[in-house]
Amino acid sequence: MVDAIAQWWDGVELWMAQLPFPFQFALLMAILLPLSLGAARLIDRVVDNASSRFNPPAAADAPAEPDKADAAPPS
């Protein structure tokens, strides 16, 4: 099974190496760009989930009221 995959990959690699450079570049971008974007999103989600499990967000503090001394005197 692994040998069949290796032979198929060698055939694809040989076919792509024989293409002119602009076609190689276009094909690479058409395949590699979406795969890279998908991998980046997957890594981002995994890291977000791991960081939220190991480091839960701190409780939000209540907004501080201005000090009585800092407040303007009533007119």
Side-chain angles (χ1 to χ4, degrees):
M1 177 71 175
V2 174
D3 191 42
I5 293 172
Q7 287 179 350
W8 173 80
W9 183 253
D10 286 343
V12 170
E13 186 179 18
L14 181 62
W15 169 76
M16 190 168 175
Q18 293 174 350
L19 290 174
F21 178 73
F23 294 117
Q24 288 180 4
F25 182 76
L27 187 61
L28 183 71
M29 287 297 111
I31 294 171
L32 193 60
L33 195 62
L35 286 176
S36 298
L37 182 61
R41 286 186 179 177
L42 178 67
I43 291 169
D44 185 48
R45 286 187 183 190
V46 168
V47 169
D48 281 346
N49 285 338
S51 65
S52 67
R53 287 180 191 218
F54 293 118
N55 189 16
D61 292 333
E65 293 184 21
D67 292 337
K68 301 280 186 200
D70 292 339
S75 321

